[in-house]
mmCIF file of all heavy atoms in Angstrom:
data_model
loop_
_atom_site.group_PDB
_atom_site.id
_atom_site.type_symbol
_atom_site.label_atom_id
_atom_site.label_comp_id
_atom_site.label_asym_id
_atom_site.label_seq_id
_atom_site.Cartn_x
_atom_site.Cartn_y
_atom_site.Cartn_z
ATOM 1 N N ARG A 65 -58.173 4.333 1.832
ATOM 2 C CA ARG A 65 -58.272 3.713 0.506
ATOM 3 C C ARG A 65 -57.470 2.416 0.462
ATOM 4 O O ARG A 65 -57.903 1.424 -0.117
ATOM 5 C CB ARG A 65 -57.761 4.666 -0.573
ATOM 6 C CG ARG A 65 -58.651 5.838 -0.834
ATOM 7 C CD ARG A 65 -58.013 6.760 -1.841
ATOM 8 N NE ARG A 65 -58.732 8.007 -1.932
ATOM 9 C CZ ARG A 65 -58.250 9.103 -2.469
ATOM 10 N NH1 ARG A 65 -57.030 9.114 -2.987
ATOM 11 N NH2 ARG A 65 -58.961 10.205 -2.522
ATOM 12 N N SER A 66 -56.297 2.460 1.061
ATOM 13 C CA SER A 66 -55.470 1.252 1.106
ATOM 14 C C SER A 66 -56.159 0.143 1.889
ATOM 15 O O SER A 66 -56.139 -1.018 1.486
ATOM 16 C CB SER A 66 -54.116 1.563 1.750
ATOM 17 O OG SER A 66 -53.451 2.554 1.030
ATOM 18 N N LEU A 67 -56.779 0.497 3.000
ATOM 19 C CA LEU A 67 -57.512 -0.498 3.775
ATOM 20 C C LEU A 67 -58.681 -1.071 2.994
ATOM 21 O O LEU A 67 -59.015 -2.249 3.120
ATOM 22 C CB LEU A 67 -58.010 0.117 5.092
ATOM 23 C CG LEU A 67 -56.957 0.355 6.160
ATOM 24 C CD1 LEU A 67 -57.599 0.978 7.398
ATOM 25 C CD2 LEU A 67 -56.259 -0.937 6.532
ATOM 26 N N TYR A 68 -59.301 -0.232 2.177
ATOM 27 C CA TYR A 68 -60.426 -0.681 1.357
ATOM 28 C C TYR A 68 -59.973 -1.750 0.360
ATOM 29 O O TYR A 68 -60.645 -2.766 0.166
ATOM 30 C CB TYR A 68 -61.031 0.523 0.635
ATOM 31 C CG TYR A 68 -62.369 0.264 0.020
ATOM 32 C CD1 TYR A 68 -63.503 0.152 0.802
ATOM 33 C CD2 TYR A 68 -62.497 0.118 -1.351
ATOM 34 C CE1 TYR A 68 -64.736 -0.092 0.232
ATOM 35 C CE2 TYR A 68 -63.721 -0.122 -1.931
ATOM 36 C CZ TYR A 68 -64.843 -0.218 -1.127
ATOM 37 O OH TYR A 68 -66.060 -0.467 -1.698
ATOM 38 N N VAL A 69 -58.829 -1.525 -0.253
ATOM 39 C CA VAL A 69 -58.280 -2.509 -1.200
ATOM 40 C C VAL A 69 -57.921 -3.798 -0.467
ATOM 41 O O VAL A 69 -58.189 -4.909 -0.949
ATOM 42 C CB VAL A 69 -57.054 -1.923 -1.937
ATOM 43 C CG1 VAL A 69 -56.340 -2.985 -2.746
ATOM 44 C CG2 VAL A 69 -57.483 -0.770 -2.816
ATOM 45 N N ILE A 70 -57.327 -3.676 0.714
ATOM 46 C CA ILE A 70 -56.966 -4.858 1.502
ATOM 47 C C ILE A 70 -58.214 -5.637 1.900
ATOM 48 O O ILE A 70 -58.231 -6.870 1.854
ATOM 49 C CB ILE A 70 -56.139 -4.446 2.736
ATOM 50 C CG1 ILE A 70 -54.769 -3.954 2.278
ATOM 51 C CG2 ILE A 70 -55.993 -5.594 3.721
ATOM 52 C CD1 ILE A 70 -53.954 -3.296 3.364
ATOM 53 N N ALA A 71 -59.287 -4.928 2.278
ATOM 54 C CA ALA A 71 -60.539 -5.603 2.642
ATOM 55 C C ALA A 71 -61.133 -6.342 1.444
ATOM 56 O O ALA A 71 -61.640 -7.463 1.581
ATOM 57 C CB ALA A 71 -61.546 -4.590 3.191
ATOM 58 N N GLY A 72 -61.053 -5.734 0.268
ATOM 59 C CA GLY A 72 -61.541 -6.419 -0.931
ATOM 60 C C GLY A 72 -60.733 -7.665 -1.236
ATOM 61 O O GLY A 72 -61.282 -8.720 -1.570
ATOM 62 N N PHE A 73 -59.421 -7.569 -1.104
ATOM 63 C CA PHE A 73 -58.560 -8.726 -1.316
ATOM 64 C C PHE A 73 -58.848 -9.805 -0.280
ATOM 65 O O PHE A 73 -58.850 -10.994 -0.598
ATOM 66 C CB PHE A 73 -57.088 -8.310 -1.247
ATOM 67 C CG PHE A 73 -56.139 -9.455 -1.429
ATOM 68 C CD1 PHE A 73 -55.949 -10.021 -2.677
ATOM 69 C CD2 PHE A 73 -55.450 -9.979 -0.347
ATOM 70 C CE1 PHE A 73 -55.080 -11.084 -2.850
ATOM 71 C CE2 PHE A 73 -54.576 -11.042 -0.507
ATOM 72 C CZ PHE A 73 -54.392 -11.598 -1.770
ATOM 73 N N ALA A 74 -59.100 -9.391 0.969
ATOM 74 C CA ALA A 74 -59.399 -10.355 2.037
ATOM 75 C C ALA A 74 -60.708 -11.089 1.783
ATOM 76 O O ALA A 74 -60.895 -12.205 2.261
ATOM 77 C CB ALA A 74 -59.453 -9.635 3.387
ATOM 78 N N ALA A 75 -61.610 -10.482 1.037
ATOM 79 C CA ALA A 75 -62.860 -11.166 0.703
ATOM 80 C C ALA A 75 -62.696 -12.098 -0.489
ATOM 81 O O ALA A 75 -63.337 -13.151 -0.557
ATOM 82 C CB ALA A 75 -63.958 -10.141 0.409
ATOM 83 N N VAL A 76 -61.820 -11.754 -1.427
ATOM 84 C CA VAL A 76 -61.657 -12.555 -2.645
ATOM 85 C C VAL A 76 -60.685 -13.717 -2.447
ATOM 86 O O VAL A 76 -60.922 -14.824 -2.947
ATOM 87 C CB VAL A 76 -61.203 -11.646 -3.814
ATOM 88 C CG1 VAL A 76 -60.787 -12.461 -5.019
ATOM 89 C CG2 VAL A 76 -62.318 -10.691 -4.193
ATOM 90 N N ALA A 77 -59.616 -13.504 -1.700
ATOM 91 C CA ALA A 77 -58.574 -14.534 -1.557
ATOM 92 C C ALA A 77 -59.109 -15.851 -0.982
ATOM 93 O O ALA A 77 -58.851 -16.918 -1.560
ATOM 94 C CB ALA A 77 -57.419 -14.001 -0.720
ATOM 95 N N PRO A 78 -59.871 -15.852 0.127
ATOM 96 C CA PRO A 78 -60.383 -17.142 0.623
ATOM 97 C C PRO A 78 -61.426 -17.775 -0.295
ATOM 98 O O PRO A 78 -61.634 -18.980 -0.249
ATOM 99 C CB PRO A 78 -61.007 -16.785 1.980
ATOM 100 C CG PRO A 78 -60.344 -15.524 2.385
ATOM 101 C CD PRO A 78 -60.084 -14.790 1.109
ATOM 102 N N LEU A 79 -62.075 -16.962 -1.140
ATOM 103 C CA LEU A 79 -63.009 -17.533 -2.117
ATOM 104 C C LEU A 79 -62.260 -18.328 -3.182
ATOM 105 O O LEU A 79 -62.713 -19.383 -3.621
ATOM 106 C CB LEU A 79 -63.815 -16.428 -2.807
ATOM 107 C CG LEU A 79 -65.048 -15.911 -2.109
ATOM 108 C CD1 LEU A 79 -65.631 -14.743 -2.887
ATOM 109 C CD2 LEU A 79 -66.080 -17.004 -1.951
ATOM 110 N N LEU A 80 -61.117 -17.823 -3.598
ATOM 111 C CA LEU A 80 -60.338 -18.485 -4.645
ATOM 112 C C LEU A 80 -59.399 -19.552 -4.100
ATOM 113 O O LEU A 80 -58.941 -20.415 -4.853
ATOM 114 C CB LEU A 80 -59.540 -17.447 -5.435
ATOM 115 C CG LEU A 80 -60.355 -16.440 -6.231
ATOM 116 C CD1 LEU A 80 -59.438 -15.465 -6.938
ATOM 117 C CD2 LEU A 80 -61.265 -17.135 -7.229
ATOM 118 N N ALA A 81 -59.102 -19.501 -2.811
ATOM 119 C CA ALA A 81 -58.129 -20.433 -2.227
ATOM 120 C C ALA A 81 -58.478 -21.901 -2.462
ATOM 121 O O ALA A 81 -57.592 -22.675 -2.858
ATOM 122 C CB ALA A 81 -57.955 -20.147 -0.738
ATOM 123 N N PRO A 82 -59.740 -22.350 -2.251
ATOM 124 C CA PRO A 82 -60.024 -23.769 -2.521
ATOM 125 C C PRO A 82 -59.732 -24.161 -3.964
ATOM 126 O O PRO A 82 -59.197 -25.238 -4.224
ATOM 127 C CB PRO A 82 -61.509 -23.901 -2.194
ATOM 128 C CG PRO A 82 -61.804 -22.810 -1.230
ATOM 129 C CD PRO A 82 -60.908 -21.681 -1.651
ATOM 130 N N LEU A 83 -60.054 -23.279 -4.903
ATOM 131 C CA LEU A 83 -59.796 -23.580 -6.314
ATOM 132 C C LEU A 83 -58.299 -23.632 -6.601
ATOM 133 O O LEU A 83 -57.832 -24.514 -7.333
ATOM 134 C CB LEU A 83 -60.454 -22.512 -7.191
ATOM 135 C CG LEU A 83 -61.968 -22.532 -7.215
ATOM 136 C CD1 LEU A 83 -62.511 -21.245 -7.802
ATOM 137 C CD2 LEU A 83 -62.470 -23.723 -7.987
ATOM 138 N N LEU A 84 -57.558 -22.711 -6.024
ATOM 139 C CA LEU A 84 -56.112 -22.695 -6.252
ATOM 140 C C LEU A 84 -55.438 -23.905 -5.619
ATOM 141 O O LEU A 84 -54.528 -24.498 -6.211
ATOM 142 C CB LEU A 84 -55.513 -21.397 -5.715
ATOM 143 C CG LEU A 84 -56.027 -20.111 -6.372
ATOM 144 C CD1 LEU A 84 -55.398 -18.890 -5.723
ATOM 145 C CD2 LEU A 84 -55.769 -20.124 -7.862
ATOM 146 N N PHE A 85 -55.886 -24.281 -4.417
ATOM 147 C CA PHE A 85 -55.321 -25.469 -3.767
ATOM 148 C C PHE A 85 -55.604 -26.730 -4.578
ATOM 149 O O PHE A 85 -54.736 -27.588 -4.749
ATOM 150 C CB PHE A 85 -55.884 -25.625 -2.357
ATOM 151 C CG PHE A 85 -55.320 -24.669 -1.350
ATOM 152 C CD1 PHE A 85 -56.127 -24.136 -0.365
ATOM 153 C CD2 PHE A 85 -53.986 -24.303 -1.368
ATOM 154 C CE1 PHE A 85 -55.626 -23.259 0.588
ATOM 155 C CE2 PHE A 85 -53.465 -23.422 -0.425
ATOM 156 C CZ PHE A 85 -54.294 -22.903 0.552
ATOM 157 N N VAL A 86 -56.824 -26.858 -5.090
ATOM 158 C CA VAL A 86 -57.196 -28.046 -5.869
ATOM 159 C C VAL A 86 -56.431 -28.076 -7.191
ATOM 160 O O VAL A 86 -55.938 -29.125 -7.609
ATOM 161 C CB VAL A 86 -58.717 -28.101 -6.080
ATOM 162 C CG1 VAL A 86 -59.105 -29.137 -7.126
ATOM 163 C CG2 VAL A 86 -59.423 -28.405 -4.756
ATOM 164 N N ALA A 87 -56.312 -26.935 -7.850
ATOM 165 C CA ALA A 87 -55.559 -26.889 -9.111
ATOM 166 C C ALA A 87 -54.099 -27.272 -8.879
ATOM 167 O O ALA A 87 -53.530 -28.062 -9.638
ATOM 168 C CB ALA A 87 -55.658 -25.488 -9.719
ATOM 169 N N ARG A 88 -53.519 -26.748 -7.829
ATOM 170 C CA ARG A 88 -52.121 -27.063 -7.521
ATOM 171 C C ARG A 88 -51.955 -28.539 -7.207
ATOM 172 O O ARG A 88 -51.004 -29.183 -7.630
ATOM 173 C CB ARG A 88 -51.657 -26.211 -6.346
ATOM 174 C CG ARG A 88 -50.230 -26.471 -5.961
ATOM 175 C CD ARG A 88 -49.805 -25.539 -4.845
ATOM 176 N NE ARG A 88 -48.414 -25.759 -4.520
ATOM 177 C CZ ARG A 88 -47.953 -25.858 -3.295
ATOM 178 N NH1 ARG A 88 -48.758 -25.724 -2.280
ATOM 179 N NH2 ARG A 88 -46.691 -26.071 -3.087
ATOM 180 N N ARG A 89 -52.882 -29.080 -6.453
ATOM 181 C CA ARG A 89 -52.827 -30.497 -6.074
ATOM 182 C C ARG A 89 -52.894 -31.399 -7.307
ATOM 183 O O ARG A 89 -52.149 -32.360 -7.425
ATOM 184 C CB ARG A 89 -53.975 -30.794 -5.094
ATOM 185 C CG ARG A 89 -54.271 -32.253 -4.813
ATOM 186 C CD ARG A 89 -55.466 -32.587 -5.632
ATOM 187 N NE ARG A 89 -56.438 -33.516 -5.238
ATOM 188 C CZ ARG A 89 -56.466 -34.780 -5.593
ATOM 189 N NH1 ARG A 89 -55.451 -35.332 -6.161
ATOM 190 N NH2 ARG A 89 -57.505 -35.513 -5.361
ATOM 191 N N HIS A 90 -53.746 -31.054 -8.268
ATOM 192 C CA HIS A 90 -53.861 -31.877 -9.479
ATOM 193 C C HIS A 90 -52.675 -31.668 -10.415
ATOM 194 O O HIS A 90 -52.216 -32.619 -11.047
ATOM 195 C CB HIS A 90 -55.174 -31.580 -10.207
ATOM 196 C CG HIS A 90 -56.363 -32.212 -9.551
ATOM 197 N ND1 HIS A 90 -56.636 -33.552 -9.637
ATOM 198 C CD2 HIS A 90 -57.337 -31.686 -8.767
ATOM 199 C CE1 HIS A 90 -57.729 -33.836 -8.946
ATOM 200 N NE2 HIS A 90 -58.175 -32.715 -8.408
ATOM 201 N N ARG A 91 -52.191 -30.441 -10.505
ATOM 202 C CA ARG A 91 -51.067 -30.176 -11.404
ATOM 203 C C ARG A 91 -49.808 -30.868 -10.918
ATOM 204 O O ARG A 91 -49.065 -31.453 -11.690
ATOM 205 C CB ARG A 91 -50.816 -28.670 -11.521
ATOM 206 C CG ARG A 91 -49.665 -28.318 -12.451
ATOM 207 C CD ARG A 91 -49.508 -26.831 -12.634
ATOM 208 N NE ARG A 91 -49.283 -26.126 -11.389
ATOM 209 C CZ ARG A 91 -48.092 -25.885 -10.848
ATOM 210 N NH1 ARG A 91 -47.006 -26.303 -11.455
ATOM 211 N NH2 ARG A 91 -47.988 -25.219 -9.722
ATOM 212 N N ARG A 92 -49.578 -30.830 -9.604
ATOM 213 C CA ARG A 92 -48.360 -31.421 -9.047
ATOM 214 C C ARG A 92 -48.557 -32.867 -8.619
ATOM 215 O O ARG A 92 -47.609 -33.513 -8.191
ATOM 216 C CB ARG A 92 -47.905 -30.593 -7.853
ATOM 217 C CG ARG A 92 -47.486 -29.197 -8.257
ATOM 218 C CD ARG A 92 -47.155 -28.329 -7.081
ATOM 219 N NE ARG A 92 -46.101 -28.933 -6.289
ATOM 220 C CZ ARG A 92 -45.639 -28.414 -5.171
ATOM 221 N NH1 ARG A 92 -46.133 -27.289 -4.722
ATOM 222 N NH2 ARG A 92 -44.693 -29.016 -4.494
ATOM 223 N N ASP A 93 -49.784 -33.363 -8.708
ATOM 224 C CA ASP A 93 -50.114 -34.732 -8.297
ATOM 225 C C ASP A 93 -49.724 -34.960 -6.830
ATOM 226 O O ASP A 93 -49.160 -35.994 -6.476
ATOM 227 C CB ASP A 93 -49.433 -35.747 -9.207
ATOM 228 C CG ASP A 93 -50.180 -37.067 -9.244
ATOM 229 O OD1 ASP A 93 -51.388 -37.068 -8.940
ATOM 230 O OD2 ASP A 93 -49.558 -38.097 -9.552
ATOM 231 N N ASP A 94 -50.037 -33.956 -5.986
ATOM 232 C CA ASP A 94 -49.724 -34.045 -4.565
ATOM 233 C C ASP A 94 -50.597 -35.088 -3.876
ATOM 234 O O ASP A 94 -51.789 -35.190 -4.168
ATOM 235 C CB ASP A 94 -49.951 -32.694 -3.869
ATOM 236 C CG ASP A 94 -48.919 -31.659 -4.272
ATOM 237 O OD1 ASP A 94 -47.841 -32.057 -4.754
ATOM 238 O OD2 ASP A 94 -49.187 -30.459 -4.097
#
Side-chain angles (χ1 to χ4, degrees):
R65 289 176 190 163
S66 301
L67 286 179
Y68 193 74
V69 171
I70 291 170
F73 179 74
V76 170
L79 276 175
L80 295 179
L83 291 165
L84 298 178
F85 285 143
V86 168
R88 180 177 182 225
R89 167 259 213 265
H90 283 285
R91 180 175 58 90
R92 295 175 58 182
D93 205 22
D94 290 340

